[in-house]
Amino acid sequence: MTVLLPAAGPGVSLPVEQPPPAPVARPANAAVLVVDDNARVLQAVSQLVGALGYPVMTAASGHEALRVFRERHAHIGCVLLDLTMPEMDGLETMQALRAVDPKARIVLSSGYGEQAVRRRVSGDGPTHFLQKPFVEDDLRAAIESALRTGDGADKPV
Protein backbone atom coordinates (compact mmCIF):
# COMPACT_ATOMS: atom_id res chain seq x y z
CA MET A 1 0.00 0.00 0.00
CA THR A 2 1.27 3.47 -0.85
CA VAL A 3 -0.07 6.61 0.76
CA LEU A 4 0.61 9.93 -0.94
CA LEU A 5 0.11 13.12 1.02
CA PRO A 6 0.48 16.66 -0.32
CA ALA A 7 3.51 18.58 0.89
CA ALA A 8 2.89 21.45 3.29
CA GLY A 9 3.33 24.86 1.73
CA PRO A 10 5.82 27.45 2.96
CA GLY A 11 4.97 29.08 6.28
CA VAL A 12 2.87 26.15 7.53
CA SER A 13 3.83 25.28 11.06
CA LEU A 14 3.17 22.09 12.93
CA PRO A 15 0.99 22.27 16.02
CA VAL A 16 2.98 22.71 19.19
CA GLU A 17 2.56 19.88 21.65
CA GLN A 18 1.29 21.16 24.97
CA PRO A 19 3.25 20.09 28.05
CA PRO A 20 1.34 17.84 30.44
CA PRO A 21 -0.45 19.71 33.21
CA ALA A 22 1.48 20.16 36.41
CA PRO A 23 0.50 17.60 39.03
CA VAL A 24 -1.79 18.78 41.78
CA ALA A 25 -0.06 19.26 45.11
CA ARG A 26 -1.41 16.40 47.15
CA PRO A 27 -2.40 16.99 50.74
CA ALA A 28 -1.21 14.51 53.36
CA ASN A 29 -4.70 12.98 53.40
CA ALA A 30 -4.74 12.21 49.68
CA ALA A 31 -5.59 8.51 49.88
CA VAL A 32 -8.49 7.49 47.66
CA LEU A 33 -11.17 5.18 49.01
CA VAL A 34 -12.51 3.17 46.06
CA VAL A 35 -15.98 1.71 46.62
CA ASP A 36 -17.57 -0.74 44.18
CA ASP A 37 -19.55 -3.94 44.69
CA ASN A 38 -18.14 -5.52 41.51
CA ALA A 39 -14.87 -7.23 42.51
CA ARG A 40 -13.31 -6.91 39.04
CA VAL A 41 -14.12 -3.21 38.78
CA LEU A 42 -12.89 -2.62 42.34
CA GLN A 43 -9.58 -4.32 41.60
CA ALA A 44 -9.05 -2.62 38.22
CA VAL A 45 -9.94 0.87 39.43
CA SER A 46 -7.87 0.45 42.60
CA GLN A 47 -4.84 -0.53 40.51
CA LEU A 48 -5.38 2.44 38.23
CA VAL A 49 -5.68 4.86 41.17
CA GLY A 50 -2.48 3.38 42.62
CA ALA A 51 -0.73 3.77 39.26
CA LEU A 52 -1.70 7.46 39.34
CA GLY A 53 0.35 7.73 42.54
CA TYR A 54 -2.38 7.80 45.16
CA PRO A 55 -2.51 5.56 48.21
CA VAL A 56 -5.60 3.35 47.87
CA MET A 57 -8.15 1.94 50.28
CA THR A 58 -10.99 -0.27 49.09
CA ALA A 59 -14.50 -1.22 50.12
CA ALA A 60 -16.86 -3.67 48.41
CA SER A 61 -20.09 -2.18 49.78
CA GLY A 62 -21.58 0.99 51.18
CA HIS A 63 -21.53 -0.46 54.70
CA GLU A 64 -17.85 -1.39 54.41
CA ALA A 65 -17.06 2.06 52.97
CA LEU A 66 -18.74 3.71 55.93
CA ARG A 67 -16.78 1.55 58.38
CA VAL A 68 -13.44 2.34 56.65
CA PHE A 69 -14.32 6.03 56.41
CA ARG A 70 -15.22 6.27 60.10
CA GLU A 71 -11.90 4.68 61.04
CA ARG A 72 -9.65 6.44 58.51
CA HIS A 73 -11.39 9.59 57.20
CA ALA A 74 -8.50 11.79 58.34
CA HIS A 75 -6.31 9.94 55.81
CA ILE A 76 -8.79 9.94 52.93
CA GLY A 77 -8.57 12.76 50.38
CA CYS A 78 -11.57 11.61 48.38
CA VAL A 79 -13.95 8.72 47.89
CA LEU A 80 -14.56 7.20 44.45
CA LEU A 81 -18.07 5.82 44.95
CA ASP A 82 -20.13 3.60 42.66
CA LEU A 83 -23.76 4.70 42.42
CA THR A 84 -25.43 1.32 41.91
CA MET A 85 -24.79 -1.12 44.76
CA PRO A 86 -27.05 -3.53 46.65
CA GLU A 87 -28.26 -2.88 50.20
CA MET A 88 -26.75 0.62 50.56
CA ASP A 89 -26.47 2.41 47.22
CA GLY A 90 -24.07 5.21 46.36
CA LEU A 91 -26.47 8.01 47.32
CA GLU A 92 -27.20 6.49 50.73
CA THR A 93 -23.49 5.87 51.25
CA MET A 94 -22.67 9.44 50.26
CA GLN A 95 -25.15 10.80 52.82
CA ALA A 96 -23.73 8.52 55.53
CA LEU A 97 -20.16 9.58 54.71
CA ARG A 98 -21.15 13.24 54.85
CA ALA A 99 -22.78 12.62 58.26
CA VAL A 100 -19.31 11.56 59.46
CA ASP A 101 -17.55 14.43 57.67
CA PRO A 102 -19.65 17.11 55.93
CA LYS A 103 -16.59 18.14 53.88
CA ALA A 104 -16.02 14.65 52.46
CA ARG A 105 -14.93 14.86 48.83
CA ILE A 106 -16.90 12.34 46.83
CA VAL A 107 -16.53 11.36 43.18
CA LEU A 108 -19.73 9.56 42.25
CA SER A 109 -19.28 7.09 39.41
CA SER A 110 -22.06 5.60 37.31
CA GLY A 111 -22.94 4.12 33.96
CA TYR A 112 -25.97 6.43 34.00
CA GLY A 113 -25.50 9.86 32.44
CA GLU A 114 -24.77 12.87 34.60
CA GLN A 115 -28.23 14.39 33.99
CA ALA A 116 -29.98 11.20 35.12
CA VAL A 117 -27.87 11.12 38.27
CA ARG A 118 -28.45 14.81 38.90
CA ARG A 119 -32.21 14.17 38.97
CA ARG A 120 -31.71 11.49 41.64
CA VAL A 121 -29.47 13.61 43.87
CA SER A 122 -31.24 15.77 46.39
CA GLY A 123 -29.48 18.20 48.68
CA ASP A 124 -25.72 18.00 49.00
CA GLY A 125 -24.45 16.26 45.88
CA PRO A 126 -21.10 14.74 45.01
CA THR A 127 -17.97 16.83 44.59
CA HIS A 128 -17.54 15.43 41.09
CA PHE A 129 -19.27 12.98 38.72
CA LEU A 130 -17.39 10.36 36.68
CA GLN A 131 -19.23 8.64 33.82
CA LYS A 132 -18.50 4.92 33.36
CA PRO A 133 -16.71 3.62 31.42
CA PHE A 134 -13.87 6.06 31.93
CA VAL A 135 -10.25 6.32 30.90
CA GLU A 136 -7.20 7.11 33.00
CA ASP A 137 -7.21 10.82 32.13
CA ASP A 138 -10.86 11.18 33.19
CA LEU A 139 -10.14 9.40 36.47
CA ARG A 140 -7.10 11.58 37.15
CA ALA A 141 -9.08 14.75 36.38
CA ALA A 142 -11.96 13.70 38.67
CA ILE A 143 -9.65 12.90 41.59
CA GLU A 144 -7.63 16.08 41.13
CA SER A 145 -10.82 18.14 40.88
CA ALA A 146 -12.14 16.59 44.08
CA LEU A 147 -8.85 17.22 45.90
CA ARG A 148 -8.80 20.85 44.73
CA THR A 149 -12.29 21.38 46.10
CA GLY A 150 -11.40 22.79 49.47
CA ASP A 151 -14.58 22.54 51.48
CA GLY A 152 -16.98 20.95 49.04
CA ALA A 153 -18.78 24.27 48.50
CA ASP A 154 -18.12 24.52 44.76
CA LYS A 155 -19.57 21.20 43.63
CA PRO A 156 -19.98 20.83 39.85
CA VAL A 157 -22.81 18.27 40.20
Side-chain angles (χ1 to χ4, degrees):
M1 172 186 288
T2 303
V3 177
L4 301 174
L5 301 172
V12 174
S13 61
L14 296 175
V16 177
E17 188 173 315
Q18 297 295 324
V24 171
R26 295 184 183 140
N29 64 339
V32 177
L33 173 58
V34 179
V35 185
D36 201 300
D37 63 305
N38 183 310
R40 286 183 174 167
V41 173
L42 182 63
Q43 181 181 12
V45 173
S46 298
Q47 288 176 346
L48 187 53
V49 170
L52 292 173
Y54 295 96
V56 181
M57 298 177 199
T58 61
S61 70
H63 294 292
E64 185 180 354
L66 184 56
R67 181 187 55 74
V68 171
F69 193 77
R70 281 184 178 134
E71 295 171 2
R72 310 280 315 269
H73 74 274
H75 304 285
I76 297 172
C78 75
V79 179
L80 179 59
L81 179 61
D82 183 33
L83 174 65
T84 307
M85 297 185 293
E87 296 179 32
M88 187 177 193
D89 72 12
L91 297 179
E92 293 168 315
T93 303
M94 180 175 63
Q95 291 171 345
L97 296 175
R98 291 256 170 84
V100 173
D101 181 357
K103 296 180 181 181
R105 297 175 181 119
I106 298 172
V107 177
L108 193 60
S109 180
S110 175
Y112 295 109
E114 185 173 350
Q115 295 303 320
V117 172
R118 215 184 269 242
R119 286 190 294 270
R120 291 182 58 189
V121 175
S122 60
D124 195 20
T127 307
H128 195 82
F129 177 79
L130 184 60
Q131 174 79 44
K132 286 182 181 181
F134 51 83
V135 295
E136 180 179 341
D137 288 341
D138 295 338
L139 178 61
R140 176 185 294 114
I143 292 170
E144 289 179 357
S145 172
L147 292 175
R148 276 193 303 270
T149 303
D151 62 357
D154 53 337
K155 294 173 181 28
V157 173

